[in-house]
Amino acid sequence: MKKFLHTLIFMMTIAALFLTGCGSDSKSSDSTLSVLASTTFLADITRNIAGDRLVIDSLLPIGMDPHSYQPTPQDMAKIEQSQLIIVNGAGYEQFLTTLLAGDGKNVIEASAGLSPREDAEHGADPHMWLDPNLVMAYVENIRKALTEYDPAGAAIYQANADAYIAQLQELDGWIKTQVGQIPSDKRLLVTNHEAFGYFAERYGFEVVGSVVPSFSSNAAPSAQQMAELIDEIKRLNAPAIFLDTADNNILAKQIADETGITVIDDLHLESLTEGAPAATYIEMMKYNVSRIVEALN
Ligand SMILES: [Zn+2]
């Protein structure tokens, strides 16, 4: 009932926004480009390209898991006020589907042109940002979008994008060196949901399995899936299970009770943090890799 009421209030607010929208046809004459990114790490990546030239906001606040996010009436207003919306794409922003339907907004998919990992049951895997090489493609898509909407800033966006891609290349090299410290038979990842596919592919990890066998954290395993994961952990002697700080860790702890596996439940995979340890996308990646290397050594 509470959920129903919540939905009803939300729908009414949207209706009200549309009505006021129709009443005043005075489209904002403010020439400042207002850019909205769906999540905190996309906002950071976009800021690196925009520099001081544009103001970039994130729709989701810090610490929020996009997989289970429920949009608020304020989100609708933010979207209304933005000229450009940057999303990850590949099905990541389920919460935006209804908000953007028929809106005609300029929505840019940062992952456009990349081929997602797919499986028949769960669709596309959106977690491409966990491989910095794929983020280089995000940078190029975002640079093009900013340039199209603000052609006068083209040279700035190009220079900033080049500098940021150099930082991402450096990050990639750093991750390779760090992962090189893990004995090859311990490069095993057990995770909350299937977030590490691209990362594992790039850096030579085997994904043993996930507590939630889905590309989203917003799902639940069956008893049989839990039993199979426990068998795999025992068979491969996987040292650690990795969760985002926003994930519920109850099932992981049950698995740990049965297998002795270490639970690392303070990664930052879907959101930045306010200040350390994951204030930027690059810091977020370095922090996660450091936690993984410590746990698997
Ligand atoms: Zn995820």
Side-chain angles (χ1 to χ4, degrees):
M1 185 63 193
K2 205 174 166 193
K3 193 168 180 189
F4 169 73
L5 269 177
H6 196 87
T7 310
L8 186 68
I9 291 165
F10 178 58
M11 300 292 284
M12 285 165 71
T13 312
I14 288 177
L17 279 166
F18 271 114
L19 286 174
T20 47
C22 295
S24 62
D25 60 354
S26 58
K27 201 82 181 143
S28 170
S29 59
D30 186 357
S31 61
T32 314
L33 184 61
S34 167
V35 180
L36 186 65
S38 59
T39 69
T40 51
F41 62 84
L42 277 174
D44 174 61
I45 292 165
T46 307
R47 278 184 203 118
N48 273 281
I49 305 160
D52 300 331
R53 199 173 161 85
L54 307 170
V55 176
I56 318 290
D57 279 327
S58 168
L59 184 65
L60 263 65
I62 275 177
M64 197 62 78
D65 178 2
H67 292 298
S68 55
Y69 185 67
Q70 299 288 326
T72 68
Q74 287 81 12
D75 293 340
M76 188 68 190
K78 276 192 194 171
I79 287 169
E80 283 289 314
Q81 286 155 15
S82 303
Q83 277 95 58
L84 194 58
I85 298 171
I86 314 265
V87 302
N88 182 77
Y92 191 47
E93 287 91 353
Q94 293 294 331
F95 58 91
L96 277 181
T97 319
T98 45
L99 290 181
L100 294 176
D103 189 275
K105 273 286 177 185
N106 299 306
V107 178
I108 305 299
E109 289 204 358
S111 67
L114 294 172
S115 309
R117 300 169 64 249
E118 276 177 303
D119 87 44
E121 199 184 338
H122 305 116
D125 178 355
H127 302 88
M128 293 147 171
W129 67 91
L130 295 176
D131 175 355
N133 296 279
L134 300 178
V135 172
M136 293 176 203
Y138 283 30
V139 171
E140 185 54 14
N141 284 330
I142 295 168
R143 183 197 65 77
K144 273 191 203 153
L146 298 184
T147 302
E148 191 175 324
Y149 285 94
D150 175 29
I156 292 170
Y157 302 142
Q158 184 69 64
N160 289 346
D162 290 347
Y164 192 54
I165 284 174
Q167 288 185 51
L168 294 174
Q169 284 164 342
E170 203 180 303
L171 173 64
D172 179 52
W174 182 87
I175 296 174
K176 280 186 192 155
T177 309
Q178 295 298 309
V179 170
Q181 299 172 17
I182 306 171
S184 52
D185 62 334
K186 286 192 179 174
R187 288 180 199 164
L188 304 170
L189 293 173
V190 186
T191 58
N192 174 63
H193 65 289
E194 292 177 27
F196 280 94
Y198 301 100
F199 177 87
E201 219 164 83
R202 174 72 187 173
Y203 301 108
F205 286 88
E206 180 183 344
V207 177
V208 177
S210 301
V211 180
V212 180
S214 164
F215 292 137
S216 169
S217 58
N218 202 13
S222 67
Q224 194 198 335
Q225 285 167 330
M226 280 279 281
E228 281 168 6
L229 179 60
I230 286 168
D231 286 348
E232 273 302 278
I233 289 170
K234 287 178 177 165
R235 189 175 71 81
L236 293 164
N237 202 16
I241 182 164
F242 297 98
L243 280 72
D244 187 284
T245 189
D247 290 328
N248 184 325
N249 63 9
I250 291 173
L251 292 178
K253 285 190 166 165
Q254 284 177 18
I255 291 169
D257 285 344
E258 291 207 34
T259 60
I261 197 169
T262 304
V263 178
I264 306 291
D265 58 4
D266 57 0
L267 296 191
H268 298 288
L269 304 172
E270 325 262 351
S271 169
L272 302 182
T273 54
E274 192 77 55
T280 66
Y281 164 74
I282 288 177
E283 285 174 26
M284 175 178 108
M285 291 301 295
K286 286 191 165 181
Y287 169 79
N288 292 330
V289 169
S290 299
R291 295 292 287 141
I292 291 169
V293 171
E294 280 163 22
L296 298 183
N297 255 307

CSV table of all heavy atoms in Angstrom, one decimal, residues 224-255:
chain,number,residue,atom,x,y,z
A,224,GLN,N,19.2,-23.7,-5.0
A,224,GLN,CA,20.1,-24.5,-5.9
A,224,GLN,C,21.3,-23.7,-6.4
A,224,GLN,O,22.4,-24.2,-6.4
A,224,GLN,CB,19.3,-25.1,-7.0
A,224,GLN,CG,20.1,-26.2,-7.7
A,224,GLN,CD,19.5,-26.5,-9.1
A,224,GLN,OE1,18.4,-26.2,-9.4
A,224,GLN,NE2,20.4,-27.0,-10.0
A,225,GLN,N,21.0,-22.4,-6.8
A,225,GLN,CA,22.1,-21.6,-7.3
A,225,GLN,C,23.1,-21.3,-6.1
A,225,GLN,O,24.3,-21.3,-6.3
A,225,GLN,CB,21.6,-20.3,-7.8
A,225,GLN,CG,20.9,-20.4,-9.2
A,225,GLN,CD,20.1,-19.2,-9.6
A,225,GLN,OE1,19.5,-18.5,-8.8
A,225,GLN,NE2,20.0,-19.0,-10.9
A,226,MET,N,22.6,-21.1,-4.9
A,226,MET,CA,23.5,-20.9,-3.8
A,226,MET,C,24.4,-22.1,-3.5
A,226,MET,O,25.6,-22.0,-3.3
A,226,MET,CB,22.6,-20.6,-2.5
A,226,MET,CG,22.1,-19.2,-2.4
A,226,MET,SD,23.4,-18.1,-1.7
A,226,MET,CE,23.3,-18.5,0.0
A,227,ALA,N,23.7,-23.3,-3.6
A,227,ALA,CA,24.5,-24.6,-3.3
A,227,ALA,C,25.5,-24.8,-4.4
A,227,ALA,O,26.7,-25.2,-4.1
A,227,ALA,CB,23.5,-25.7,-3.3
A,228,GLU,N,25.2,-24.4,-5.6
A,228,GLU,CA,26.2,-24.6,-6.7
A,228,GLU,C,27.4,-23.6,-6.5
A,228,GLU,O,28.5,-24.0,-6.8
A,228,GLU,CB,25.5,-24.3,-8.1
A,228,GLU,CG,24.7,-25.5,-8.6
A,228,GLU,CD,23.8,-25.1,-9.8
A,228,GLU,OE1,23.9,-24.0,-10.3
A,228,GLU,OE2,23.0,-26.0,-10.2
A,229,LEU,N,27.1,-22.4,-6.1
A,229,LEU,CA,28.2,-21.4,-5.9
A,229,LEU,C,29.1,-21.9,-4.7
A,229,LEU,O,30.3,-21.8,-4.9
A,229,LEU,CB,27.6,-20.1,-5.6
A,229,LEU,CG,28.6,-19.0,-5.3
A,229,LEU,CD1,29.6,-18.7,-6.5
A,229,LEU,CD2,27.9,-17.6,-4.9
A,230,ILE,N,28.5,-22.4,-3.7
A,230,ILE,CA,29.3,-22.9,-2.6
A,230,ILE,C,30.2,-24.1,-3.0
A,230,ILE,O,31.4,-24.1,-2.7
A,230,ILE,CB,28.3,-23.3,-1.4
A,230,ILE,CG1,27.8,-22.1,-0.7
A,230,ILE,CG2,29.0,-24.2,-0.4
A,230,ILE,CD1,26.6,-22.3,0.2
A,231,ASP,N,29.7,-25.0,-3.9
A,231,ASP,CA,30.5,-26.1,-4.4
A,231,ASP,C,31.7,-25.5,-5.2
A,231,ASP,O,32.8,-26.0,-5.1
A,231,ASP,CB,29.6,-27.0,-5.3
A,231,ASP,CG,28.7,-27.9,-4.5
A,231,ASP,OD1,28.9,-27.9,-3.2
A,231,ASP,OD2,27.8,-28.5,-5.0
A,232,GLU,N,31.4,-24.5,-6.0
A,232,GLU,CA,32.5,-24.0,-6.9
A,232,GLU,C,33.5,-23.3,-6.1
A,232,GLU,O,34.7,-23.4,-6.3
A,232,GLU,CB,31.9,-22.9,-7.9
A,232,GLU,CG,31.3,-23.5,-9.2
A,232,GLU,CD,32.4,-24.3,-9.9
A,232,GLU,OE1,33.2,-23.6,-10.7
A,232,GLU,OE2,32.5,-25.5,-9.8
A,233,ILE,N,33.1,-22.6,-5.0
A,233,ILE,CA,34.1,-21.9,-4.1
A,233,ILE,C,35.0,-22.9,-3.5
A,233,ILE,O,36.2,-22.7,-3.4
A,233,ILE,CB,33.3,-21.0,-3.1
A,233,ILE,CG1,32.7,-19.8,-3.8
A,233,ILE,CG2,34.2,-20.6,-1.9
A,233,ILE,CD1,31.7,-19.0,-2.9
A,234,LYS,N,34.4,-24.0,-3.0
A,234,LYS,CA,35.1,-25.1,-2.4
A,234,LYS,C,36.1,-25.8,-3.4
A,234,LYS,O,37.3,-26.0,-3.1
A,234,LYS,CB,34.2,-26.1,-1.7
A,234,LYS,CG,33.5,-25.6,-0.5
A,234,LYS,CD,32.6,-26.7,0.1
A,234,LYS,CE,31.9,-26.3,1.3
A,234,LYS,NZ,30.7,-27.1,1.7
A,235,ARG,N,35.6,-26.0,-4.5
A,235,ARG,CA,36.4,-26.8,-5.6
A,235,ARG,C,37.6,-26.0,-6.0
A,235,ARG,O,38.7,-26.5,-6.1
A,235,ARG,CB,35.5,-27.0,-6.8
A,235,ARG,CG,36.1,-27.9,-7.8
A,235,ARG,CD,35.1,-28.3,-9.0
A,235,ARG,NE,34.9,-27.1,-9.8
A,235,ARG,CZ,35.7,-26.7,-10.8
A,235,ARG,NH1,36.8,-27.4,-11.1
A,235,ARG,NH2,35.4,-25.7,-11.5
A,236,LEU,N,37.4,-24.6,-6.2
A,236,LEU,CA,38.5,-23.8,-6.7
A,236,LEU,C,39.3,-23.1,-5.5
A,236,LEU,O,40.3,-22.5,-5.7
A,236,LEU,CB,38.0,-22.7,-7.6
A,236,LEU,CG,37.4,-23.2,-8.9
A,236,LEU,CD1,36.6,-22.2,-9.6
A,236,LEU,CD2,38.6,-23.7,-9.8
A,237,ASN,N,38.8,-23.3,-4.3
A,237,ASN,CA,39.4,-22.7,-3.1
A,237,ASN,C,39.5,-21.2,-3.3
A,237,ASN,O,40.6,-20.6,-3.1
A,237,ASN,CB,40.8,-23.4,-2.9
A,237,ASN,CG,41.2,-23.2,-1.5
A,237,ASN,OD1,40.4,-22.9,-0.6
A,237,ASN,ND2,42.5,-23.4,-1.2
A,238,ALA,N,38.5,-20.6,-3.7
A,238,ALA,CA,38.5,-19.1,-3.9
A,238,ALA,C,38.7,-18.4,-2.6
A,238,ALA,O,38.0,-18.7,-1.6
A,238,ALA,CB,37.1,-18.7,-4.6
A,239,PRO,N,39.6,-17.4,-2.6
A,239,PRO,CA,40.0,-16.8,-1.3
A,239,PRO,C,39.0,-15.8,-0.8
A,239,PRO,O,38.8,-15.6,0.4
A,239,PRO,CB,41.3,-16.1,-1.6
A,239,PRO,CG,41.8,-16.7,-2.9
A,239,PRO,CD,40.6,-17.1,-3.6
A,240,ALA,N,38.3,-15.1,-1.7
A,240,ALA,CA,37.5,-13.9,-1.2
A,240,ALA,C,36.2,-13.7,-2.1
A,240,ALA,O,36.2,-14.1,-3.3
A,240,ALA,CB,38.3,-12.7,-1.2
A,241,ILE,N,35.2,-13.1,-1.4
A,241,ILE,CA,34.0,-12.8,-2.1
A,241,ILE,C,33.9,-11.2,-2.0
A,241,ILE,O,34.1,-10.7,-1.0
A,241,ILE,CB,32.8,-13.5,-1.5
A,241,ILE,CG1,31.5,-13.2,-2.2
A,241,ILE,CG2,32.6,-13.3,-0.1
A,241,ILE,CD1,30.4,-14.2,-1.9
A,242,PHE,N,33.6,-10.6,-3.2
A,242,PHE,CA,33.7,-9.1,-3.3
A,242,PHE,C,32.3,-8.5,-3.5
A,242,PHE,O,31.6,-8.9,-4.4
A,242,PHE,CB,34.6,-8.7,-4.4
A,242,PHE,CG,36.0,-9.2,-4.2
A,242,PHE,CD1,36.5,-10.3,-4.9
A,242,PHE,CD2,36.9,-8.5,-3.4
A,242,PHE,CE1,37.8,-10.8,-4.7
A,242,PHE,CE2,38.2,-8.9,-3.2
A,242,PHE,CZ,38.6,-10.0,-3.9
A,243,LEU,N,32.0,-7.6,-2.6
A,243,LEU,CA,30.7,-6.9,-2.6
A,243,LEU,C,30.9,-5.4,-2.6
A,243,LEU,O,31.9,-4.9,-2.1
A,243,LEU,CB,29.8,-7.2,-1.4
A,243,LEU,CG,29.1,-8.5,-1.3
A,243,LEU,CD1,30.0,-9.7,-1.1
A,243,LEU,CD2,28.0,-8.5,-0.2
A,244,ASP,N,29.9,-4.7,-3.3
A,244,ASP,CA,29.9,-3.3,-3.2
A,244,ASP,C,29.4,-2.9,-1.8
A,244,ASP,O,28.6,-3.6,-1.1
A,244,ASP,CB,28.9,-2.7,-4.2
A,244,ASP,CG,28.9,-1.2,-4.3
A,244,ASP,OD1,28.3,-0.5,-3.4
A,244,ASP,OD2,29.5,-0.7,-5.3
A,245,THR,N,29.8,-1.7,-1.3
A,245,THR,CA,29.4,-1.3,0.0
A,245,THR,C,27.9,-1.1,0.2
A,245,THR,O,27.4,-1.2,1.3
A,245,THR,CB,30.2,0.0,0.4
A,245,THR,OG1,30.0,0.3,1.7
A,245,THR,CG2,29.8,1.2,-0.5
A,246,ALA,N,27.2,-0.9,-1.0
A,246,ALA,CA,25.8,-0.8,-0.9
A,246,ALA,C,25.0,-2.1,-1.0
A,246,ALA,O,23.8,-2.2,-0.7
A,246,ALA,CB,25.3,0.1,-2.1
A,247,ASP,N,25.7,-3.2,-1.2
A,247,ASP,CA,25.1,-4.5,-1.3
A,247,ASP,C,24.7,-5.1,0.0
A,247,ASP,O,25.4,-4.9,1.0
A,247,ASP,CB,26.0,-5.5,-2.0
A,247,ASP,CG,26.2,-5.2,-3.5
A,247,ASP,OD1,25.3,-4.7,-4.1
A,247,ASP,OD2,27.3,-5.6,-4.0
A,248,ASN,N,23.6,-5.8,0.1
A,248,ASN,CA,23.2,-6.6,1.3
A,248,ASN,C,24.2,-7.7,1.4
A,248,ASN,O,24.4,-8.5,0.4
A,248,ASN,CB,21.8,-7.1,1.1
A,248,ASN,CG,21.3,-7.8,2.3
A,248,ASN,OD1,22.0,-8.5,3.0
A,248,ASN,ND2,20.0,-7.6,2.5
A,249,ASN,N,24.9,-7.9,2.5
A,249,ASN,CA,25.9,-8.9,2.6
A,249,ASN,C,25.4,-10.2,3.4
A,249,ASN,O,26.3,-11.0,3.7
A,249,ASN,CB,27.2,-8.4,3.3
A,249,ASN,CG,26.9,-7.9,4.7
A,249,ASN,OD1,25.9,-8.1,5.3
A,249,ASN,ND2,27.9,-7.2,5.3
A,250,ILE,N,24.2,-10.3,3.6
A,250,ILE,CA,23.7,-11.5,4.5
A,250,ILE,C,24.0,-12.8,3.8
A,250,ILE,O,24.5,-13.7,4.4
A,250,ILE,CB,22.1,-11.3,4.7
A,250,ILE,CG1,21.9,-10.1,5.7
A,250,ILE,CG2,21.6,-12.6,5.3
A,250,ILE,CD1,20.4,-9.8,5.9
A,251,LEU,N,23.7,-12.9,2.5
A,251,LEU,CA,23.9,-14.2,1.8
A,251,LEU,C,25.4,-14.5,1.7
A,251,LEU,O,25.9,-15.6,1.9
A,251,LEU,CB,23.3,-14.2,0.4
A,251,LEU,CG,21.7,-14.2,0.4
A,251,LEU,CD1,21.2,-14.1,-1.1
A,251,LEU,CD2,21.2,-15.4,1.1
A,252,ALA,N,26.2,-13.4,1.4
A,252,ALA,CA,27.7,-13.6,1.4
A,252,ALA,C,28.2,-14.2,2.7
A,252,ALA,O,29.1,-15.0,2.7
A,252,ALA,CB,28.3,-12.3,1.0
A,253,LYS,N,27.7,-13.6,3.8
A,253,LYS,CA,28.1,-14.1,5.1
A,253,LYS,C,27.7,-15.6,5.3
A,253,LYS,O,28.5,-16.3,6.0
A,253,LYS,CB,27.6,-13.2,6.2
A,253,LYS,CG,28.4,-11.9,6.2
A,253,LYS,CD,28.1,-11.0,7.4
A,253,LYS,CE,29.1,-9.9,7.5
A,253,LYS,NZ,28.7,-8.8,8.4
A,254,GLN,N,26.5,-15.9,4.9
A,254,GLN,CA,26.1,-17.3,5.0
A,254,GLN,C,27.1,-18.2,4.2
A,254,GLN,O,27.5,-19.3,4.7
A,254,GLN,CB,24.7,-17.5,4.4
A,254,GLN,CG,23.6,-17.1,5.4
A,254,GLN,CD,22.2,-17.2,4.7
A,254,GLN,OE1,22.0,-17.9,3.8
A,254,GLN,NE2,21.3,-16.5,5.3
A,255,ILE,N,27.5,-17.8,3.0
A,255,ILE,CA,28.4,-18.6,2.2
A,255,ILE,C,29.7,-18.7,2.9
A,255,ILE,O,30.4,-19.7,2.9
A,255,ILE,CB,28.5,-17.9,0.8
A,255,ILE,CG1,27.2,-18.0,0.0
A,255,ILE,CG2,29.7,-18.5,0.0
A,255,ILE,CD1,27.2,-17.2,-1.3
